[in-house]
Amino acid sequence: MARSSVREVAQEAGISHGSVQHYFATREEMLVFAMDFASEQTSLRVAESIRELGNPPHPRDMLRLILTEVFPLHPDTRATSRMNAAYVLEALHNANIRTRTRNGLIHGRRSSARQSLMATSTATAPRRQNPIHSWHSPA
């Protein structure tokens, strides 16, 4: 992806170059859309996984979910990981992508922390085992 052109993407997708250009005038627009889409899909996947943990989820289950998303252990996270790598490489040479990457990382971290806090705020684990409270009370 780091060196792919709009023409190459169209060829790989089996559609005309003009069809891709109808939606994306530049390679940068295409890459930004792909990253935004991947981010949205990750958020939806995480939200669904949190719902499946039950109410309230145990902090250990939340940690497992977060680690499963961080490490490319299944096809969805592997694809997102490859996209993130291409995006970061592009950011080395493109100030707009670099700014979007920085802002996206900040937003993603805040969103993950917020989701984790909300999901575990009523957890039944003893206070000393709850990682959210571990900084505020002795073990």
Side-chain angles (χ1 to χ4, degrees), residues 45 68-69 71-83:
R45 188 173 57 244
T68 301
E69 283 299 320
F71 297 111
L73 301 175
H74 55 82
D76 291 338
T77 57
R78 279 193 290 276
T80 302
S81 180
R82 285 191 300 272
M83 279 298 303

Side-chain angles (χ1 to χ4, degrees), residues 36-57:
D36 288 347
F37 182 76
S39 177
E40 180 181 316
Q41 293 303 301
T42 298
S43 294
L44 292 172
R45 188 173 57 244
V46 168
E48 177 62 26
S49 295
I50 289 172
R51 280 191 293 277
E52 291 173 0
L53 291 178
N55 190 13

Side-chain angles (χ1 to χ4, degrees), residues 116-138:
S116 297
L117 287 171
M118 287 181 359
T120 60
S121 64
T122 58
T124 58
R127 184 178 172 101
R128 71 185 187 298
Q129 293 179 2
N130 188 331
I132 294 168
H133 298 293
S134 65
W135 298 303
H136 304 292
S137 63

Side-chain angles (χ1 to χ4, degrees), residues 21 25 31-32 36 41 51 54 58 87 97 100 105:
Q21 281 190 316
L31 185 58
V32 166
D36 288 347
Q41 293 303 301
R51 280 191 293 277
H58 192 281
Y87 206 65
I97 298 288
R100 289 182 59 87
L105 287 171

Side-chain angles (χ1 to χ4, degrees), residues 62-112:
M62 283 297 299
L63 180 59
R64 183 179 298 117
L65 185 151
I66 291 166
L67 290 174
T68 301
E69 283 299 320
V70 169
F71 297 111
L73 301 175
H74 55 82
D76 291 338
T77 57
R78 279 193 290 276
T80 302
S81 180
R82 285 191 300 272
M83 279 298 303
N84 286 337
Y87 206 65
V88 168
L89 289 173
E90 186 72 18
L92 294 173
H93 308 285
N94 183 314
N96 180 43
I97 298 288
R98 186 169 37 255
T99 299
R100 289 182 59 87
T101 301
R102 182 179 53 248
N103 293 342
L105 287 171
I106 291 168
H107 174 73
R109 286 181 189 137
R110 287 180 182 157
S111 178
S112 294

